[in-house]
Each structure stands twice: as structure tokens, then as C-alpha cells.
Amino acid sequence: MAKHASFDALTTETLALRLGGLEALVERLGPDRSAWKVREVGDGNLNLVFIVEGPKGAAVVKQALPYVRLVGESWPLPLKRSFFEYHALVRQEARAGKGSVPAIYHFDEAQALIVMEYLSPHVILRKALIEGRELPRIANDLGLFAARTLFRGSDLHMTARERKADLALFAGNVELCDITENLVFTDPYFEAELNRHTPALDPLVAELRADRDLKVEAQRLKHLFAANAETLLHGDLHTGSIMVTEDDTRVIDPEFAFYGPMAFDVGMLLANFWMSFFSQAGHEQEGSRASMRGYLLRTVSDLWSVFRAEFSWLWRTERTGMLYADSLFEKRGDALGAEQALDGVLHSLWQDLLGFAGVEIHRRILGLAHNADFETIADEALRARCEAKALRFGRHLVVNRCRIHSVDEVNGLALLIEKETRA
Ligand code: SR1
Ligand code: MG
């Protein structure tokens, strides 16, 4: 059992005994803890996740471990990430609305555990996309979630005092930022120890690692990630951090939360839809995925358009922070000036998100933490073909992001690469 001061990792055997007196659980599961059934279901890279079911209902207990689960005890990781996750969930619910994240029932900082709502019959979005399910709500729900959390967590909306205090709170999430700084922006571009990739990609990987323009742009993006403390980010907003049903969407797992550039969350999210798009050819054993490909590109396009519309609405109605003060614009009869400024902010966000999307695609194929979208393609040659398309697409986004003007253009490029390499 892992030890860390008074910390004790839970097991399926000890959970009911240790948490049996916890009001938050008793209330939902029923008082007879001998009737509780406990399963450990964590399949992420870092934590323990238990589903606890009792006669009255169920709950999830998520507990951080003092190391990276994917790698083992040789890679220590602070338990404090659970504190950041808890505080991010509280803020996300306040900013994006009740029902956008799981309800929180209890937080224990010393044990690094969060007791939260058991989402059922929800599944992880990534798994649904691999199965070819076309979820109808995600573009709208995720576009709203991103716009509301990113806008309302920034100096566009918060008072300077409130945001600076919050920035200081999240500034301690150093080790989780360090993971992203290395795993996303640096490791994919050289032979880092924990990297791996499908062997047939060797020539393309060598080409990418020798690509000076790509390396310079990846470092500019890293600079932006580390130095532009613009808003409270989710920090790991990929399709494995989202749970869905046909009519509900919840964002989970914000332990990487910190103040960074708005474009990072949106870029990572769109990157994961584009990766799903390129992986579809690997999942066609039971039928064509042509419709799924169309759905994924529509999702990207709709999500970006919902994001822009909501961000613009918030700009016009909730711009109460110190940036782009209405005393300079609307209150001087210059509403057009505020619109001009909005266009500028959205334009930079667009260019930056394309870059972040590109590096996210690269790190999921070349780095330590891969995506099930590609990993579940058993035929290695087919997987390599899918991954190669995604790598080329990612490179184009990173290097040419300032010359790409619309989401239709990017989706057109994805279709072009998909078709070209099929011929
Ligand atoms: C060592 S952690 C690897 C990855 O898992 C998390 O989900 C983040 O995406 C991180 O980059
Ligand atoms: Mg996670």
C-alpha cells in the first residue's frame, strides 16, 4: 500500500471500512456499509477511481496516488493535484452551470480524495467515438462549456483582485504543468526516454524531429502555454475527460487546471476530434465510417461556431473585468471599437488553438501518453497509416497556423490528407 505522511491509498477491500462513516456516502448509498459493493475502474494515467454502490444508490470516489500510475513509483507526483481538481470543479460548475461537471459530495485533502456523482449510463466520449456513436449534443455542450469557463475565469470578466488571488492559488500546480510542458511541447520532438511510436512510422518521425520550423513553433507554443496566464484552464480537455449520454455531457478530471492561454483547452479538444477522424479507417471492420467522419468534422465546425457565438455574447454582456473596459468603448458611443477588439481576441485565439491542436496530435502518437483511438487499432500497418495522416495534419497546423483562416479550411485539409493517403 502506498504511504505518504497520513495518506493511505484505498483498496476495494478497505474503502467501505475507511469511508463507511462518511455522511456524504452514507446519505447516498445507505448506512449498511457491509452491503456496499466497491469496484476500482480507473483506466487513466494517474489515479484510483472507485465506483461504490449501495442499497440506496451509488457514488464515485476518486483518489490521487503519490506517483504516476501509468509509470509507477519511480515517477512521484504530488497528492495536491486533488486539491486543484476539487477547486477547478467548483469553479467550472459556477461558470458553466450545474450539470456541466459531476456534482461534488465531499473533499478530503489529506487523503487526496473526492467523492462525487456516479454518472450513469454515461460513457467516456473517446470510447463512444471509437464505437462510431454520433452523440448529438457534444458540439453545443462543449462549445458552451469552453466559452463560459474560459471567458468567466479571465480578466475579461473577473475583478483583477479576484483573478490574481485565484492565479496564486493555482500557481502551485507546478508538477502537473511540468508534465504538459515536457510531454506535449518537448518530448515528441526528440528521442525522449519514455517516448514510443508505431515502428513503421520511423522515417516520418525522423523527418519531424529534424524539422526546424516545427521545433521552433512548438517552442513558441510552449512559451505561450507557460507565460500567458490568461484564464483558469481545464488543462487536459481531451475526449477521455468527457462523459456522455445521448442527452448529457459532463466534463471531468480537471487536475491539470492552472492559469494559461484560452486557446490551449479549445485546441486540445479539437485535436482529439481530428485524431478520432483520422483513426476511423482503423475501425471499419464492422462497416463504413464515412458518416462518422462527416459527423466528427461537423462537430469541430459546430463546436467552434458555438464557442465563438457564446464568447461574443459574453463579451457584449459580461465584460466586467479590467480588460477592454466599456469606459473606453460602449460608454463612449464606440460599440464598434469593442467589436473590433473582440475580432482581434478571437483571431489570436484561433491561430493559437491550431498550434496547440497540432502539438497535442503529435504527442499522442510520438510521446508517452497515447490515445485509445489509435491504440485500439490492432493491425499495426493500418494504425501506422492512420497515425501518419494525423502527424502530417498536425505538422501543417503548427507551422501554418497563421495562414489558416477558417474551420472549413482546416476540415478541408483533413479530408484532403485522408483521401490522398487512401489513394
Ligand atoms: C504522465 S501523465 C500523461 C498524460 O495523462 C494525462 O491524462 C495527461 O493528458 C497527461 O499528459
Ligand atoms: Mg485525466
Side-chain angles (χ1 to χ4, degrees):
M1 180 181 297
K3 293 264 183 206
H4 199 264
S6 64
F7 170 85
D8 240 332
L10 293 162
T11 66
T12 48
E13 286 74 37
T14 62
L15 189 144
L17 196 63
R18 286 183 51 199
L19 304 185
L22 201 62
E23 195 48 43
L25 279 176
V26 170
E27 205 180 293
R28 274 151 198 107
L29 274 58
D32 178 9
R33 68 177 188 209
S34 67
W36 293 5
K37 292 197 171 54
V38 185
R39 287 178 285 145
E40 204 280 312
V41 296
D43 62 354
N45 296 328
L46 301 179
N47 308 299
L48 296 170
V49 181
F50 299 91
I51 294 173
V52 194
E53 292 174 287
K56 267 180 75 183
V60 161
V61 176
K62 177 173 178 181
Q63 188 178 37
L65 288 166
Y67 54 86
V68 174
R69 183 178 184 168
L70 173 70
V71 176
E73 300 196 26
S74 61
W75 187 342
L77 202 60
L79 295 171
K80 187 134 190 216
R81 64 186 188 273
S82 178
F83 168 92
F84 297 118
E85 174 162 355
Y86 166 72
H87 284 280
L89 283 165
V90 170
R91 282 153 184 72
Q92 288 166 348
E93 183 176 84
R95 288 168 190 163
K98 217 171 160 52
S100 58
V101 298
I104 302 301
Y105 303 144
H106 177 78
F107 171 56
D108 180 336
E109 189 174 351
Q111 295 307 317
L113 69 82
I114 305 174
V115 181
M116 63 183 109
E117 183 180 2
Y118 171 47
L119 298 171
S120 176
H122 298 64
V123 294
I124 292 288
L125 174 56
R126 189 185 306 288
K127 189 167 180 284
L129 298 180
I130 292 169
E131 286 167 3
R133 284 178 59 190
E134 299 180 20
L135 283 311
R137 290 187 57 113
I138 56 171
N140 191 62
D141 290 347
L142 294 170
L144 292 180
F145 177 88
R148 290 172 180 172
T149 56
L150 300 177
F151 185 93
R152 291 179 171 149
S154 78
D155 272 326
L156 292 169
H157 178 74
M158 294 168 82
T159 65
R161 175 170 299 280
E162 196 193 349
R163 197 193 70 92
K164 284 185 170 69
D166 214 45
L167 183 112
L169 182 98
F170 282 91
N173 207 4
V174 179
E175 290 77 4
L176 281 276
C177 287
D178 184 70
I179 288 182
T180 306
E181 285 150 12
N182 290 315
L183 262 52
V184 176
F185 297 99
T186 303
D187 290 3
Y189 303 107
F190 79 107
E191 294 74 20
E193 199 188 329
L194 296 173
N195 282 351
R196 64 188 172 85
H197 61 258
T198 308
L201 294 172
D202 274 352
L204 178 56
V205 175
E207 200 183 300
L208 292 172
R209 289 191 177 144
D211 187 331
R212 181 182 294 152
D213 293 341
L214 177 61
K215 286 190 293 182
V216 170
E217 288 308 319
Q219 293 316 288
R220 283 170 64 159
L221 289 160
K222 183 177 185 177
H223 187 169
L224 190 63
F225 175 83
N228 185 7
E230 196 174 25
T231 194
L232 182 65
L233 298 179
H234 177 284
D236 199 26
L237 193 53
H238 52 75
T239 50
S241 297
I242 297 159
M243 296 194 73
V244 290
T245 64
E246 295 290 312
D247 40 33
D248 193 32
T249 310
R250 306 290 188 105
V251 175
I252 62 169
D253 269 8
E255 65 204 313
F256 283 77
F258 83 111
Y259 275 78
M262 292 183 180
F264 184 74
D265 273 359
V266 193
M268 182 181 279
L269 189 54
L270 296 191
N272 278 267
F273 289 118
W274 281 316
M275 279 189 274
S276 176
F277 170 86
F278 286 113
S279 74
Q280 292 301 318
H283 302 293
E284 282 187 315
Q285 306 86 336
E286 279 145 41
S288 162
R289 290 291 181 96
S291 157
M292 189 64 189
R293 283 190 195 90
Y295 161 79
L296 286 163
L297 296 188
R298 258 189 334 275
T299 297
V300 166
S301 167
D302 292 350
L303 198 160
W304 175 238
S305 127
V306 169
F307 176 88
R308 273 186 23 224
E310 182 67 6
F311 193 95
S312 303
W313 167 255
L314 294 170
W315 179 276
R316 291 170 196 135
T317 57
E318 292 190 18
R319 209 173 73 253
T320 50
M322 55 106 157
L323 289 180
Y324 304 97
D326 58 2
S327 50
L328 291 175
F329 298 108
E330 290 90 338
K331 287 190 175 152
R332 292 283 172 283
D334 187 16
L336 205 56
E339 292 299 303
Q340 180 178 324
L342 168 62
D343 282 344
V345 167
L346 284 173
H347 183 67
S348 309
L349 209 154
W350 166 250
Q351 292 188 343
D352 296 342
L353 84 80
L354 292 177
F356 289 129
V359 293
E360 165 70 2
I361 292 173
H362 286 164
R363 72 91 170 222
R364 294 293 183 187
I365 298 171
L366 307 178
L368 165 72
H370 286 219
N371 270 359
D373 310 56
F374 295 119
E375 293 295 286
T376 51
I377 303 173
D379 177 338
E380 216 176 279
L382 178 56
R383 188 194 325 140
R385 284 199 295 280
C386 296
E387 290 176 324
K389 293 177 212 170
L391 287 174
R392 276 196 282 273
F393 176 75
R395 193 261 174 204
H396 189 87
L397 296 190
V398 173
V399 175
N400 296 300
R401 64 187 187 283
C402 300
R403 288 180 282 270
I404 301 173
H405 304 290
S406 72
V407 71
D408 287 347
E409 204 180 323
V410 191
N411 281 342
L413 187 77
L415 279 168
L416 192 77
I417 292 180
E418 174 67 16
K419 280 192 196 123
E420 259 183 1
T421 43
R422 288 180 133 214

